[in-house]
Amino acid sequence: MQNMSLCGAPSSTTSHLTSLPSLPSLSLRFSFTFRENRNPTTHLSSHKLSFSVRPSRVLVKSQATAPASSEAVKVTPVPSDMKAWVYGEYGGVDVLKLDSNVAVPDVNEDQVLVKVVAAALNPVDAKRRQGKFKATDSPLPTVPGYDVAGVVVKVGSQVKEFKVGDEVYGDVNEKALEGPKQFGSLAEYTAVEEKLLAPKPKTLDFAQAASLPLAIETAYEGLERTGFSPGKSILVLNGSGGVGSLVIQLAKQVFGASRVAATSSTRHLDLLKSLGADLAIDYTKENIEDLPEKFDVVYDAIGQCDRAVKVVKEGGSVVALTGAVTPPGFRFVVTSNGAVLRKLNPYLESGKVKPIVDPKGPFSFDQLDEAFSYLETNRATGKVVIHPIP
């Protein structure tokens, strides 16, 4: 398995949904072709995919008094084609192409079709595009994207928890590295299994909600795997990153940590304190090995496991998200689970746990290549978000 890290103001109105009669039951077959030219001297190669698409119900949103957390989202009849970012070969940011004629995926019986309003980027998106786990990847061409927030516009026959018009969020790939979806969230529509989604927190907008799923599930699962419990102490390496910023908050607010320490560069020390860190460590000036204390858990979200194991208590745990693993450190790959998001929604809605969206964003949909370039500098604070998506 590759060594890699997976992750990284509310509006005042919302809308009531009015459902118009269903369109006639039609089954249409659409196909699209991606052409790529890897070298000007070679012939173009093509990839062709086909999908069955049935028109969905028409939704109209009218402005009305409602909770202050939602934003107006225009939902129209589901088309046969959509705009989506696509790559047909592995490589750098330059392989990404915005295509306006990608077939809208149909839904399986356990899935819903989501009109994507916002999405977020994670390091796993970049490493997947670079081909770092091609052996277990889905076939090319690929529409990337794990994190999504949007509105349900169609439901499969076995879906029980959601209905058309529901605002949802989640990580669309149950297994991050094992056969992730060929059609992810960086598109106008995406099909997602019901069990991977949760209702969007009422007090968050779509951009904030989209920033959370993969990172907060990684933070939560890592803490659970260590057996973290009230009264324990923790050191978070890279506390200003997408996962680290949430580990600090979950350890304090959800798991009842007695003491939270975290590292960052000088400019992020105040952020660490605002998130609940009792000790904010400037890694440009201090070595964690020189700290006078040791911790029950060290959560390494940066790739310094060899140093992390030196500051963990005997019998303690070290979570390593990336880089080489030194015993007693361990690595895990997160499993997307809507039940975890549902469990954490009260903490998000109360403001006890806050999403951290990088201040350079959100990036617009047509700026995806710029957003990826920024993500890959490894200088982002919190999460890099794409919003709005047309």
Side-chain angles (χ1 to χ4, degrees), residues 319-335:
V319 183
L321 293 187
T322 186
V325 178
T326 303
F330 70 92
R331 175 180 290 113
F332 74 97
V333 178
V334 67
T335 298

Side-chain angles (χ1 to χ4, degrees), residues 209-224:
S211 75
L212 288 165
L214 192 151
I216 203 167
E217 289 175 340
T218 301
Y220 183 86
E221 186 173 340
L223 288 167
E224 266 206 330

Side-chain angles (χ1 to χ4, degrees), residues 7-8 119-120 122 147-149 169-171 200-201 204-219 242-243 245-246 249 341 344-345 348 353-357 383 385:
C7 318
N122 296 282
D147 289 326
V148 68
Y169 77 129
D171 169 2
K200 181 179 75 67
L204 301 185
D205 61 30
F206 284 99
Q208 293 170 322
S211 75
L212 288 165
L214 192 151
I216 203 167
E217 289 175 340
T218 301
V243 174
S245 61
L246 291 162
Q249 297 181 78
L341 299 179
L344 296 176
N345 270 359
L348 294 163
V353 177
K354 301 177 178 64
I356 306 297
V357 176
K383 293 297 293 294
V385 173

Side-chain angles (χ1 to χ4, degrees), residues 205-277:
D205 61 30
F206 284 99
Q208 293 170 322
S211 75
L212 288 165
L214 192 151
I216 203 167
E217 289 175 340
T218 301
Y220 183 86
E221 186 173 340
L223 288 167
E224 266 206 330
R225 284 173 176 260
T226 68
F228 203 79
S229 57
K232 289 189 175 182
S233 61
I234 186 170
L235 170 62
V236 184
L237 305 186
N238 191 25
S240 62
V243 174
S245 61
L246 291 162
V247 173
I248 293 171
Q249 297 181 78
L250 296 187
K252 197 83 167 184
Q253 300 294 337
V254 179
F255 287 84
S258 61
R259 183 165 172 78
V260 177
T263 67
S264 75
S265 61
T266 308
R267 65 191 180 103
H268 289 136
L269 295 178
D270 288 341
L271 171 63
L272 301 187
K273 295 173 185 175
S274 73
L275 297 176

Side-chain angles (χ1 to χ4, degrees), residues 233-237 259-264 278-283 285-298 304 307-313:
S233 61
I234 186 170
L235 170 62
V236 184
L237 305 186
R259 183 165 172 78
V260 177
T263 67
S264 75
D278 302 294
L279 175 64
I281 302 164
D282 185 341
Y283 71 77
K285 299 177 181 178
E286 299 180 70
N287 293 319
I288 58 173
E289 298 98 319
D290 297 332
L291 293 173
E293 59 185 309
K294 294 187 182 298
F295 301 87
D296 295 302
V297 170
V298 181
Q304 297 178 348
R307 300 178 64 200
V309 297
K310 296 177 182 178
V311 290
V312 68
K313 292 179 181 178

